[in-house]
Amino acid sequence: MDWQSESPELWAFLESLHCGDILSGTIAAIERFGVFVALDDGPGHPTLPGVGFLGVPELSWRRFGDPTDVVQVGQRVSCEFIGFDTYNAEARLSLKALEPDPLQVFADRTVVGQELRGTVEKVVPIGIFVNLGDGIFGLVPFREIDGRPAASPVEDFEVGEEIAVVVAEIELPRRRVFLSRPENGQCARVVLPT
């Protein structure tokens, strides 16, 4: 569809937006692939439930199973405008952009080599994922990964078990936290990016 000629008011509204603008509206519809938002200051959309759209990854920094775990139809929201989707003529929005990034908060208050306590979340062939709280999960590898030390000795871990871990590395760009066991003594010393 040629949105520019078919819906000039909608197109003009979308072109007037700038990345970083804060837009308010009401959740109009929730689908498994994302959430439609009826924007307060925007025109209606001729074919979609709302001019604003929140993709699932933009709903929250936290893990969730379904978009309805984060928002409900009829809920008022404020979101950051992150882009103009010219194909669907919709404002791409982010709810999480207005919240502090829990990984950045973790990195700001945690140093490499610091010992923490966490709960075993999942045991997988490459290692164990440990829940450190506040939505932060780290990996204790069973084998060396990219030069990072392995958990030694290999132990049996159970989901839900509380264990001590040492922060080996925090990779902000790749959103990963590597951990080691305190007994290991080979904790990688890596300077955090600033």
Side-chain angles (χ1 to χ4, degrees):
M1 176 178 258
D2 180 10
W3 293 106
Q4 203 164 4
S5 61
E6 295 288 327
S7 190
E9 180 187 11
L10 172 60
W11 193 265
F13 169 73
L14 292 170
E15 282 189 320
S16 74
L17 299 175
H18 300 92
C19 285
D21 286 351
I22 306 301
L23 305 174
S24 296
T26 304
I27 302 298
I30 300 173
E31 302 292 339
R32 61 176 167 58
F33 54 86
V35 175
F36 291 96
V37 180
L39 298 174
D40 294 343
D41 297 331
H45 197 287
T47 61
L48 299 174
V51 170
F53 182 77
L54 287 158
V56 171
E58 294 302 324
L59 288 172
S60 177
W61 291 106
R62 309 280 183 218
R63 291 182 181 191
F64 58 91
D66 188 83
T68 58
D69 295 339
V70 181
V71 294
Q72 300 297 316
V73 171
Q75 178 181 339
R76 299 279 307 148
V77 292
S78 291
C79 304
E80 184 174 307
F81 175 71
I82 58 173
F84 173 1
D85 178 341
T86 57
Y87 183 77
N88 291 318
E90 61 191 10
R92 291 295 175 125
L93 306 172
S94 176
L95 199 55
K96 77 178 187 181
L98 299 180
E99 301 173 355
D101 177 353
L103 185 59
Q104 182 64 59
V105 171
F106 177 79
D108 290 345
R109 68 178 155 98
T110 307
V111 296
V112 171
Q114 183 173 343
E115 187 171 321
L116 303 171
R117 297 209 52 84
T119 306
V120 175
E121 181 77 13
K122 187 185 287 189
V123 180
V124 294
I126 63 167
I128 57 170
F129 284 96
V130 178
N131 182 344
L132 300 171
D134 296 325
I136 305 299
F137 296 84
L139 173 67
V140 179
F142 287 149
R143 294 180 298 278
E144 186 175 300
I145 298 176
D146 297 332
R148 292 172 184 88
S152 177
V154 175
E155 303 171 41
D156 290 325
F157 296 96
E158 292 185 28
V159 172
E161 176 184 1
E162 188 174 307
I163 62 170
V165 292
V166 174
V167 177
E169 184 175 359
I170 301 171
E171 288 186 5
L172 289 173
R174 295 180 72 184
R175 305 196 59 76
R176 300 191 308 185
V177 176
F178 284 96
L179 306 168
S180 65
R181 298 286 285 146
E183 304 83 39
N184 191 341
Q186 299 177 14
C187 178
R189 303 287 176 181
V190 178
V191 177
L192 296 178
T194 56

